[in-house]
Amino acid sequence: MDITRSSPAPVRVVAVPPEPEPADLTALPEPATAEPLQPLPTVAVTAVTATTTTSVTATDVRGRRRRPRLRDLLALLRPGQWVKNLAVVPLALLDAHAWGAAAFLRTGWAVLGFTLASALVYVVNDLADRERDRLHPVKRHRPIASGQVSTAAAGVLTGLLALSLTGWAVAGPAWQWWPTALYLALSLAYSQGLKHVPLVDAFIVATGFVLRLVQGALLVGAPMSEWLALCVFSLCLMLALGKRRHEMTAAGRAHRPALRGYTLAFLDHLVVLVAVLTAVSYVLYLRDDAALAAGASLVTLLSAPCAVFGLARYLQLLLVEEGGGNPVHVLFRDRATLVNAALWAVLVALALLLPHASA
C-alpha cells in the first residue's frame, strides 16, 4: 500500500430542507387573540418625565435670561447697600440747631439723590466687571455676571437712572447738587480704571462717603465739621481696606488687579492705623464741634468706649475670624456690633436732646 498517495476526501451529504408550500392567498387569516396591554416600566416613565422637566427648566432659564425679572433688576441696584446713604447723609442732623420738618425733608431729598447716583454706579460697574466677576466665588452670582440680566437690559436701566438723577438735580435747590455730581464723576472714573490703582481705589471709595456727608449738610444748611468729615473718611477707608483684605484671602489677587499692590501685612498695618485715626477724630469732634449741652460731658465720655469697642470688634471680625467681605453685613448682622451700636445711639441721643430738655 502506497501511503504517499492521498485518498479522496469523503463525500459530504447535506440535507436540503423541503421548500415551503405556497401560501393560499384566498384564505382569510384567523383573528388573533388580543393580549392584555402591559404597563410601561416605571423607569421609562420616570426617564421621560425627567427629560421633559429638564427641557422645560432649560427653556425657562433661557427665557429668564432674555427677559429679566423685576427681582433681578432690583438686585442689580443693590438695595442692601442703600443703608450707606441712610447712615451717612443724615449725620448733618447732629447739629441740633438744624432740626425741623424742613431739615428732615431736605435730608430725605439728599438720600434720594445719592441712592439714585449709587445705583447708577453699581450698574455701570457691574457692566464693566462682568467678565471678572464670573471668576469670583461670590460675585459670579450677580445679575449681569450670572446672565440673569442681559447687557442690553442693563443699558436701558442705566439710561433710566441717569434721567431720574437729572430730574432730581433740576427739581432740587440750584447748584446744591455738586457733591452728588462730584461723587458720580469720581465713581465713573473709578469704574473706568482708577479701581485698578492700589490705594487710590480705597481712597476714592472713602471720599464718596464724605461727599454724602457734605451733600446732607449743604441741603440742611448745617455747618460742616472738619473732625466729623475726617472721622467719616477714616472709618470708611478702614472698611474699604478691610474688604480688600478679605478678597485677598478669599479669592487671591487675580480677581482685583489693584490687590497686586497690597500684601496682608501691609493691609493689617493700614487698617489698624486708620482705626486709630477714626477713634481720635471722633473724640475731637465730640470735644470741639458737637452740639452738646454743658451737662452732657459724662454721656459723651461714656459714648467714646462704645466707639472704640465697635472699632475693636470690626478688627476682630476682620483679622481673627477672617470676615469683612461685606461691611454692611458685618455692621448690621453681628450681634455684638448691633448691641454696641444701640447703646452708642442711646447715649448720643441723650447728649443731643439734653439742651432741648433744659430749654
Side-chain angles (χ1 to χ4, degrees):
M1 182 178 180
D2 189 0
I3 61 175
T4 60
R5 180 179 299 176
S6 59
S7 58
V11 179
R12 300 179 58 185
V13 178
V14 180
V16 179
E19 296 182 1
E21 297 180 359
D24 188 2
L25 300 179
T26 60
L28 296 176
E30 296 182 1
T33 303
E35 296 182 1
L37 296 176
Q38 299 294 333
L40 291 175
T42 305
V43 177
V45 175
T46 305
V48 172
T49 305
T51 304
T52 306
T53 305
T54 304
S55 177
V56 173
T57 304
T59 304
D60 292 343
V61 171
R62 287 192 297 268
R64 285 198 299 266
R65 290 180 180 177
R66 289 194 299 267
R67 298 179 181 178
R69 297 174 297 180
L70 180 61
R71 185 176 64 180
D72 299 327
L73 295 175
L74 184 61
L76 185 59
L77 303 181
R78 302 186 198 176
Q81 302 294 329
W82 296 351
V83 70
K84 298 175 181 178
N85 304 319
L86 296 176
V88 178
V89 174
L91 284 179
L93 294 176
L94 288 177
D95 183 9
H97 301 288
W99 290 7
F104 283 102
L105 289 177
R106 292 175 182 176
T107 302
W109 188 254
V111 171
L112 175 61
F114 258 96
T115 300
L116 292 173
S118 60
L120 176 60
V121 171
Y122 291 144
V123 177
V124 173
N125 191 56
D126 285 357
L127 277 172
D129 288 348
R130 60 184 183 275
E131 298 297 336
R132 189 177 292 107
D133 287 345
R134 292 190 178 103
L135 305 177
H136 194 272
V138 177
K139 295 181 179 181
R140 62 187 178 90
H141 298 294
R142 288 179 175 177
I144 298 179
S146 62
Q148 298 298 327
V149 176
S150 64
T151 55
V156 173
L157 183 59
T158 301
L160 293 177
L161 289 173
L163 289 176
S164 301
L165 188 59
T166 302
W168 172 86
V170 172
W175 298 106
Q176 291 191 358
W177 43 263
W178 66 264
T180 304
L182 182 57
Y183 163 81
L184 188 60
L186 283 176
S187 299
L188 293 178
Y190 173 88
S191 299
Q192 296 302 317
L194 291 182
K195 63 184 176 182
H196 302 317
V197 182
L199 291 180
V200 175
D201 61 333
F203 273 73
I204 289 180
V205 172
T207 303
F209 287 94
V210 177
L211 291 174
R212 286 175 168 90
L213 177 64
V214 174
Q215 182 68 84
L218 189 62
L219 289 179
V220 171
M224 184 68 192
S225 171
E226 294 82 1
W227 290 121
L228 181 59
L230 179 60
C231 180
V232 171
F233 174 80
S234 56
L235 174 63
C236 297
L237 181 59
M238 181 188 67
L239 297 177
L241 293 173
K243 182 178 180 180
R244 278 144 185 78
R245 186 190 187 280
H246 180 269
E247 289 182 348
M248 183 176 293
T249 57
R253 299 182 177 181
H255 169 68
R256 189 188 291 269
L259 294 179
R260 299 171 184 173
Y262 299 107
T263 63
L264 290 180
F266 179 52
L267 286 173
D268 292 344
H269 285 85
L270 283 180
V271 169
V272 174
L273 172 64
V274 177
V276 173
L277 179 60
T278 303
V280 172
S281 58
Y282 172 74
V283 173
L284 292 176
Y285 164 73
L286 292 179
R287 189 191 69 174
D288 297 339
D289 297 336
L292 304 177
S297 58
L298 179 60
V299 179
T300 303
L301 180 63
L302 293 176
S303 69
C306 292
V308 175
F309 177 84
L311 295 173
R313 176 57 179 166
Y314 175 75
L315 293 178
Q316 183 184 32
L317 293 173
L318 178 67
L319 303 178
V320 178
E321 300 184 12
E322 299 294 337
N326 191 331
V328 175
H329 292 174
V330 172
L331 297 177
F332 294 93
R333 294 186 179 181
D334 179 61
R335 291 183 179 180
T337 303
L338 289 175
V339 172
N340 178 72
L343 179 59
W344 173 84
V346 170
L347 293 173
V348 172
L350 288 176
L352 292 173
L353 293 175
L354 278 177
H356 298 275
S358 61

